[in-house]
Amino acid sequence: MINTGTIKMNSLSQALIYVCTFLLGITINQTSYLFGINSSLSDILLILIIPTLIYTKQLNFVKNETIFFLMLSILVLFSATFVVPTIVNITPSVTNIFSDYIKILVSFLYFILGYNLSRIGFDNKVIRVQAKFAVLVAILGIVANFIPLPFISETFFFGGYRLKGFLNDPNLFAIVQILALSYFLKYRDKNNKFRGVSIFLLIFSILMSGSKTGLLSMIFILCLDLFQKNFTYRIKLKETIVFLILAFILIILAPPLINYMLKLLISLAEQYPSIERLSSLFTDFSTAISGDGSHRDVVWKKAIKIISMFPITGVGVGTYLNIAGTLPGVVTVAHNTYLQMYAEWGIIFASIFFLYIIYMIFYSLLLVRKNITINVVSSGIIAIMIGSLSISLNNARFFWLYLGILLYHIKFEKNQKI
């Protein structure tokens, strides 16, 4: 028997989970539409790992979170089947209800997977492989942008110029790259040159995605990392003084620098379409929200209207687009995780969930000096929560996987205090 921390399993099971975990780190960077369903190769690995953990009696369903999921399941199915048809004159599709509920179930299983991979000591492997594969994707994307590469040039770009890697959406790609960026910002190893190059490549790939949401999330994560390095950790007085002097100089030079950067941005926008999309954040914010056919301002108002129609029960699963179709305007998802979940789960369950995440983030920020994994994962989740302001990430696999990893480490640190 091999002992991994406090968890024991036979060598064959450990070898299988080791291989699957390695592949999970790669495939979590991939999604595609298969028969109209947003699928990922990582789902195959989920199906392999979960039964293996059950067979070896190592699967742990965290009690409170599992109860919440079961209660939520009852609510969303009841709302979709009985509440919505009563209030709105529509007949929900059984197929849509079933497929959307499967998405919630799979998300919960990724959460459980993240928690249990941490228990047996495989969480860092997933994070490390995901980050390094993201760098490889960045390299391929950057090269393909200048030199046509078979398959890569056709697969990696949305609309011919927005980098999306192996994912089906450039905005989702940007968030995944930011998760990898969080890893390289936090981890220190002997090969600092590779780390520096990786950070540069990841930042460049995020800009190439043309994702305004990704840009804002990246800026916040970079600022958070700078803040933590200078104020959370113990550093020398000399370094602090130098930092404050540089910050003061930057504030003094801010007006002319901003003016110069805007001119440079406009110049780059004329040459690169992806930069043109990003420039609207600084030159025309209203266009940044509603431009390129996204109509986010319109769909957000529609989501708020749907929330007001079903404040307590929510609309459940598989009915949101049907209800959106009865209201004027564009028929699409909310393009906002918060609004989407409030609309589907109702105010009570969605509020409990988001307060739970806020608690985890704030508690984890107190532990960043003690646990490097918490530092990396919490930064990644913060990036996801910022990205959630203009993307529906409620079914994003990496979000739930990281949330499960963070929960385990918080529980572990709490138990250490007892």
Side-chain angles (χ1 to χ4, degrees):
M1 302 292 284
I2 296 175
N3 191 348
T4 308
T6 58
I7 306 299
K8 292 183 179 180
M9 61 176 69
N10 61 55
S11 57
L12 181 62
S13 299
Q14 173 137 341
L16 176 62
I17 293 177
Y18 182 92
V19 173
C20 288
T21 301
F22 179 85
L23 294 174
L24 180 66
I26 295 174
T27 55
I28 204 74
N29 293 318
Q30 177 271 331
T31 57
S32 60
Y33 284 106
L34 184 64
F35 303 113
I37 300 173
N38 189 6
S39 307
S40 173
L41 292 172
S42 63
D43 297 340
I44 298 173
L45 301 166
L46 176 73
I47 294 171
L48 288 173
I49 298 174
I50 293 291
T52 302
L53 291 174
I54 293 174
Y55 175 75
T56 56
K57 299 179 180 179
Q58 303 300 342
L59 188 69
N60 187 317
F61 282 93
V62 276
K63 182 179 178 182
N64 294 333
E65 287 75 7
T66 302
I67 291 173
F68 178 85
F69 168 72
L70 293 174
M71 292 176 66
L72 175 66
S73 297
I74 294 170
L75 174 70
V76 295
L77 291 172
F78 177 79
S79 298
T81 308
F82 298 104
V83 178
V84 169
T86 302
I87 298 177
V88 183
N89 188 26
I90 62 170
T91 303
S93 165
V94 175
T95 303
N96 289 343
I97 291 174
F98 177 76
S99 63
D100 272 21
Y101 178 72
I102 290 298
K103 292 177 185 177
I104 292 181
L105 175 61
V106 170
S107 296
F108 177 70
L109 289 178
Y110 271 99
F111 171 76
I112 294 298
L113 178 63
Y115 182 86
N116 283 277
L117 287 179
S118 297
R119 287 182 66 244
I120 60 176
F122 282 91
D123 51 340
N124 283 320
K125 176 166 288 297
V126 176
I127 296 168
R128 184 168 62 253
V129 173
Q130 185 276 326
K132 292 183 177 180
F133 188 75
V135 174
L136 175 61
V137 171
I139 293 171
L140 292 173
I142 293 169
V143 172
N145 188 57
F146 299 101
I147 305 171
L149 299 175
F151 176 73
I152 298 296
S153 297
E154 299 171 4
T155 306
F156 269 37
F157 293 91
F158 177 85
Y161 68 93
R162 295 184 65 190
L163 183 59
K164 67 179 183 69
F166 289 106
L167 292 155
N168 52 27
D169 179 65
N171 296 311
L172 197 62
F173 170 77
I175 299 299
V176 168
Q177 296 300 94
I178 292 171
L179 296 182
L181 179 63
S182 296
Y183 169 84
F184 285 105
L185 287 172
K186 306 300 181 183
Y187 269 97
R188 297 285 189 274
D189 55 32
K190 296 178 181 178
N191 196 346
N192 283 322
K193 289 183 179 179
F194 174 75
R195 175 177 171 271
V197 171
S198 298
I199 290 173
F200 171 78
L201 291 170
L202 289 168
I203 290 174
F204 198 78
S205 68
I206 293 165
L207 296 176
M208 284 182 63
S209 73
S211 171
K212 291 165 277 193
T213 302
L215 177 61
L216 291 175
S217 299
M218 181 184 73
I219 291 172
F220 187 90
I221 290 303
L222 290 172
C223 291
L224 176 65
D225 182 67
L226 182 65
F227 176 83
Q228 288 180 332
K229 282 184 172 63
N230 286 279
F231 296 101
T232 304
Y233 302 102
R234 292 181 180 178
I235 60 173
K236 297 176 181 178
L237 178 62
K238 181 181 176 181
E239 292 174 338
T240 305
I241 293 172
V242 170
F243 173 78
L244 292 174
I245 292 173
L246 289 174
F248 178 75
I249 294 172
L250 187 62
I251 292 170
I252 298 297
L253 296 177
L257 278 175
I258 291 172
N259 186 47
Y260 172 76
M261 290 299 293
L262 285 174
K263 289 180 179 178
L264 179 63
L265 197 59
I266 293 170
S267 175
L268 289 171
E270 294 173 355
Q271 301 179 50
Y272 301 101
S274 58
I275 300 297
E276 182 181 9
R277 292 190 83 257
L278 299 177
S279 66
S280 62
L281 272 174
F282 307 98
T283 58
D284 189 350
F285 190 72
S286 61
T287 300
I289 294 176
S290 59
D292 300 308
S294 66
H295 303 289
R296 277 178 169 79
D297 53 340
V298 176
V299 297
W300 289 348
K301 290 177 183 177
K302 183 175 286 193
I304 293 170
K305 174 65 177 176
I306 293 173
I307 293 169
S308 68
M309 293 168 63
F310 302 88
I312 305 300
T313 62
V315 300
V317 288
T319 61
Y320 184 90
L321 292 179
N322 296 103
I323 298 170
T326 66
L327 302 174
V330 183
V331 179
T332 183
V333 294
H335 287 294
N336 182 300
T337 305
Y338 305 97
L339 293 178
Q340 189 75 40
M341 294 181 81
Y342 270 104
E344 293 181 352
W345 294 12
I347 291 174
I348 296 174
F349 273 80
S351 294
I352 291 172
F353 177 71
F354 289 122
L355 287 172
Y356 174 76
I357 293 179
I358 290 170
Y359 161 76
M360 288 178 69
I361 289 173
F362 274 98
Y363 192 86
S364 65
L365 291 176
L366 300 176
L367 300 172
V368 293
R369 289 174 58 184
K370 296 181 178 180
N371 190 316
I372 190 66
T373 303
I374 285 181
N375 201 349
V376 173
V377 175
S378 61
S379 293
I381 290 177
I382 290 171
I384 292 170
M385 300 314 293
I386 296 171
S388 293
L389 291 169
S390 61
I391 316 173
S392 292
L393 294 172
N394 43 305
N395 295 316
R397 294 163 177 82
F398 54 80
F399 170 45
W400 294 96
L401 184 73
Y402 269 49
L403 205 59
I405 292 172
L406 184 61
L407 174 64
Y408 171 79
H409 283 279
I410 288 176
K411 283 180 173 287
F412 178 81
E413 293 295 338
K414 280 186 175 180
N415 290 336
Q416 292 291 98
K417 293 180 179 180
I418 298 175

